[in-house]
Amino acid sequence: MTSIGGAEMVDWNLAVATATRLVRPGPDVSRDEARGVVAELRRHAKASEEHVRGFTRMATEESHDTPILVVDRPGWVRANVAGFREILKPLLDKMQERRGSTPGGAVLGAVGGKVTGVELGMLLSFLSSRVLGQYETFAPATRDLPAGGAPSGGGRLLLVAPNIVHVERELDVEPHDFRLWVCLHEETHRTQFTAVPWLQDHLEGEIQSFLGETEVDPMTVLERVRDAAQSLAGGRPEGEEDEGGRSLVEIVQTPAQREILGRLTAVMSLLEGHADFVMDGVGPQVVPSVAEIREKFQQRRAKGASRLDLALRKLLGLDAKLRQYRDGERFVRAVVDQVGVDGFNRVWTSPNTLPTKAEIAEPADWVARVHRKAES
């Protein structure tokens, strides 16, 4: 726990407690129904392995040994707090050093850590009802959050059962088809990380480089979190108009961070777009109502919920994530059309064959760079 004289920069335990207390209840299901959903999601996740491997041709030498964890909303919160705590440690250590050199830094730490813990908990409670699944890679392995047996520790596949049930009911689609459809997307992420041994370390290295370049005042990042949390309580963040609606990440960028963020945006667009491409490619063979599900789900993605929801999506950068799905899928589809699945799979050769942000927008440029270089 990052602390100064016992004063935590972020009270992670309080963040979990706050999110758990504020999280909205899931859909109304009986105990037997809940057990049935959990069992079916596990079956679909397992079945998705063969479907995804066959379609992507990304079979791994070792079988997938990453755990499949079907969780509720508090379980998703705990897993993500553990991941945030691990990945943000270098940044918080840096902030700790700066605060420690200022008068009253320890006192500010004691108060600020509690306040930030509450506000982070508010944000996580908001997000916990919106995530259907996730391949979590950063949290250390524990008894409640086991990881795979890869040398790097591997990750775990999270499926958020109440959210899946909520969305399938909201869209009025066939539950069994929708659950398999979701599992196909998340299984693609698991395949990406298990079939490409260097991917996890590369992604973590880029994130750490981004955080390491942070040269803002120690309170600036926490104030951005506070703005988002205050908007949840119904107040508009002070100065939001002046910031031009930029997201948390965009506000704290240095020139070096912009370069790193460009690379991160490209790889995340690739991963998300590839998962959508695979989900739609496999879908017609195994999900009878895939066309209806896709149409309704795309409408839901684009619409958002309320003015508050749209404001938070902008502030938290969730709009950028939606663009990643769209832009990434266009890139994958265009490359596969030009050079086929095996030609596309050269993208996984090394970090040097990953597309740049510009190449995501112009797939032919990636084909020219990677294929012409390989053939010359």
Side-chain angles (χ1 to χ4, degrees), residues 51-74:
H51 297 314
V52 171
R53 288 189 198 183
F55 185 82
T56 64
R57 302 178 192 171
M58 292 177 67
T60 56
E61 293 183 4
E62 299 177 1
S63 62
H64 288 179
D65 60 354
T66 49
I68 301 168
L69 305 179
V70 182
V71 299
D72 57 10
R73 290 168 179 173

Side-chain angles (χ1 to χ4, degrees), residues 183-198:
C183 287
L184 290 170
H185 182 102
E186 303 308 330
E187 176 57 36
T188 302
H189 287 317
R190 185 164 69 147
T191 296
Q192 291 163 348
F193 282 92
T194 55
V196 185
W198 52 264

Side-chain angles (χ1 to χ4, degrees), residues 80-362:
N80 278 269
V81 165
F84 291 156
R85 184 174 176 175
E86 184 74 11
I87 202 71
L88 292 177
K89 188 178 186 301
L91 173 62
L92 295 181
D93 285 345
K94 186 176 183 178
M95 295 172 67
Q96 171 187 331
E97 293 174 4
R98 293 188 177 186
R99 180 178 283 180
S101 64
T102 62
V107 175
L108 288 173
V111 176
K114 297 293 184 186
V115 173
T116 306
V118 169
E119 291 166 342
L120 179 60
M122 293 174 66
L123 290 178
L124 287 170
S125 70
F126 171 81
L127 294 171
S128 68
S129 62
R130 284 159 171 74
V131 177
L132 301 182
Q134 174 185 353
Y135 186 76
E136 206 292 316
T137 60
F138 299 121
T142 64
R143 185 181 64 179
D144 296 329
L145 198 64
S152 61
R156 69 283 294 171
L157 183 64
L158 305 179
L159 297 168
V160 190
N163 295 349
I164 293 172
V165 173
H166 171 78
V167 173
E168 70 191 27
R169 290 180 178 180
E170 179 185 310
L171 298 181
D172 190 25
V173 293
E174 212 289 322
H176 305 295
D177 286 2
F178 183 74
R179 295 166 194 175
L180 177 55
W181 190 71
V182 170
C183 287
L184 290 170
H185 182 102
E186 303 308 330
E187 176 57 36
T188 302
H189 287 317
R190 185 164 69 147
T191 296
Q192 291 163 348
F193 282 92
T194 55
V196 185
W198 52 264
L199 183 58
Q200 179 177 337
D201 287 342
H202 172 73
L203 190 57
E204 184 171 358
E206 291 281 63
I207 293 172
Q208 291 300 345
S209 296
F210 181 89
L211 296 176
E213 290 291 335
T214 300
E215 296 294 343
V216 296
D217 177 81
M219 290 304 296
T220 301
V221 176
L222 303 184
E223 286 171 356
R224 299 287 61 177
V225 174
R226 184 163 301 139
D227 288 345
Q230 287 173 351
S231 69
L232 272 177
R236 189 174 184 80
E238 193 70 27
E240 185 180 85
E241 295 292 348
D242 295 336
E243 295 290 356
R246 288 180 291 166
S247 72
L248 292 172
V249 171
E250 292 170 321
I251 289 169
V252 303
Q253 281 180 63
T254 65
Q257 283 178 312
R258 279 193 288 274
E259 292 184 15
I260 300 169
L261 186 64
R263 296 196 298 268
L264 276 170
T265 299
V267 71
M268 295 310 296
S269 296
L270 170 69
L271 298 179
E272 296 294 358
H274 184 231
D276 267 10
F277 174 78
V278 172
M279 181 169 60
D280 286 346
V282 175
Q285 306 168 33
V286 297
V287 181
S289 59
V290 64
E292 177 191 3
I293 291 173
R294 184 63 158 154
E295 180 181 359
K296 290 183 176 180
F297 194 76
Q298 287 289 71
Q299 292 173 354
R300 182 181 185 274
R301 268 185 184 171
K303 182 177 64 174
S306 62
R307 185 173 179 273
L308 172 61
D309 187 67
L310 293 174
L312 279 167
R313 277 167 47 173
K314 173 70 73 175
L315 185 59
L316 296 173
L318 300 184
D319 279 351
K321 186 173 179 66
L322 295 180
R323 288 194 298 274
Q324 287 169 7
Y325 284 107
R326 186 172 58 249
D327 297 345
E329 185 182 8
R330 276 200 296 259
F331 169 83
V332 175
R333 194 173 297 281
V335 171
V336 171
D337 285 345
Q338 291 184 57
V339 296
V341 172
D342 292 332
F344 165 79
N345 280 343
R346 288 190 186 178
V347 78
W348 311 116
T349 303
S350 76
N352 293 329
T353 57
L354 290 172
T356 64
K357 188 176 180 181
E359 287 170 342
I360 288 289
E362 297 291 341

